[in-house]
Amino acid sequence: MTVLKDILSEAKNLAAVFEKTGAEVVEPDFLQISNVLLDLYGEDIRGRAFITNDPVYGEMMLRPDFTIPIVEQHMANSVSPARYTYCGKVFRRQEEFPDRPREFLQVGYEIFDGANTEKADAEVFLLVNEALNRIPVRIATGDIGILMAAVRSLSTTETRKNALLRHIWRPNRFRTLLNQFSGLSSKPYPNRNLEDYNKLLDKFEIIGSRNVYEIKERLEQINLETKTDPINPEEVKILDDLLSLKDTCAVVLGHLEKVSKKMPGIEATVNKFHKRLSYLEKNGVNIDLLDFEGSYGRTSMEYYDGFVFGFYSETQRNLSPVATGGRYDALTERIGQGKKIPAVGAILRPDLTLLLRQNNHD
Amino acid sequence: MIRLGIPSKGRLMDQTFGWFSERGINLVRSDSDREYAGRIDGIKGVQLIFLSANEIPRELSSGRLHFGVTGTDLIKEKLARFSRLVEPISELGFGFANLIIAVPGFWIDVDSLDDLDAVSAQFREKNGYRLRIATKYHRLLREFLIKAGVADYQIVDSQGATEGAVKNGLAEAIADITSTGDTLKANHLKILSDGVILKSQATLFKSLVANLSEEEDQVANLLLKKLETGN
């Protein structure tokens, strides 16, 4: 049985691992302005966060995570390198799994630094690994950056690539689009042309904020799309291969180096992957045992766009991950409105790490 | 006393009265039309409660009502994991309505959810904010669009006259219930080909959380038997 006193002392021990790096200890507000979170996560966040109201600021949310308020705070002040650590509660609605806690502690660490991003990736991973010392865990890793580079290097239109990149975190929609763009399924586009458009004003009442020029533009896009050749099947095969990769990091590295000969666009990210593994190896991680999954981080970790990882209980399969983390370079740019700085971070769940420690002793 | 919740107004109330009386149970509204009280002839130990159909899901989920008539749309919108809380006993065969997504008729480039997703991306890029969909069915709409993989929209609350929300500049699209589609047409809207979120009808629900005494349990069983067999 875990009690609050023990969880707090576990949290303190975990936080000590991060604090010894000299990271600045921060504590963002409990209440966050909804619009900021909604603009980043979309409406989905309403299903996961508790919502309340302020007479001046309007709709607010009890913080569902720390990363976004910390990025906001950092980007508002400066874009110089920094390390932050924090320990506090986050709040989540639990509709689908009513037995899961609605408030729980997170201990976290975030690095804002573009000097050596792979070294920073490794630093976060190694600190988490150190904090979880002697807890039996299964580790999953992945790299969204490689997938994004592969999409960007497809020899097809920018419109298609942007559509795929926009849905990299929604695997079903991504698959639907990929099938359409590669001619595997036919898209039932509205069968309208510019003649229909010219009759628009006579036939319909124009209502709402979407104007007729946006409709014309999209009809032209559809027209162009239907005339564009399907994506080369060889490239689709490579993309499918990357998405279904599942092996140890050492094996995956060898494989990716071969793949990047056929798809030179991913070479730079594969080199980064290599560099990251070297740092991990130098610090005692056995990359012959470390798992890699090509699609890892695509469903539950929106906004991660590079290295991603999660630590799971080896025995309790239904337990939420005890630690998760990853790189989120693009997020700093979206929040920084023009300013940007590469960033990577991770969180630990002291309630779960304590549970596993105790189970390990029983 | 077994507490039976009935919609307090309009056609839904009249048709519910009809459905029960076909099964030998007469629901009688008190003599004054303005008073929300009534009685039941044909079975003893059942109390009639008049409520807005909107409130019946909540009362069933708290156990204050043992039975209630309302739409499946309202049960699914208002009760998370509704099957733990209520059990449908019988579909009543009226009050048919579909919860649908509709967009302006002049969007000739939009037929399906695929198009809606593409247009949401375009709209956000052009206008700097997320495409607004007006509805009172927040949860059902959100879950439906997550499943469909539609992104970059926002839900705008609309508790009434939702079909007018686009014309009035409050939204770009709507999600609402419709039976014939006439109101949509009159408001220059069309339904997406794959935009039916849910098909609803008036349904008799049983609360799964209400505690029944032995005596109440007997009355409840008698009521169910009468409704099933008509005697």
Side-chain angles (χ1 to χ4, degrees), chain A residues 73-84:
Chain A
Q73 208 174 317
H74 184 80
M75 299 314 284
N77 297 330
S78 77
V79 286
S80 49
R83 280 167 172 68
Y84 298 108

Side-chain angles (χ1 to χ4, degrees), chain B residues 14 25 46 66 83 87 89 93 123 152 158 172 179 204 208 224:
Chain B
D14 296 339
I25 297 175
V46 182
H66 300 105
S83 57
E87 182 194 341
I89 298 294
F123 185 86
D152 294 299
S158 167
E172 281 67 59
S179 41
L204 174 67
L208 295 176
L224 289 177

Side-chain angles (χ1 to χ4, degrees), chain A residues 187-201:
Chain A
K187 156 109 172 88
Y189 282 115
N191 186 22
R192 314 274 154 53
N193 51 38
L194 290 179
E195 245 167 74
D196 295 305
Y197 174 78
N198 291 333
K199 287 185 237 151
L200 200 63
L201 295 173

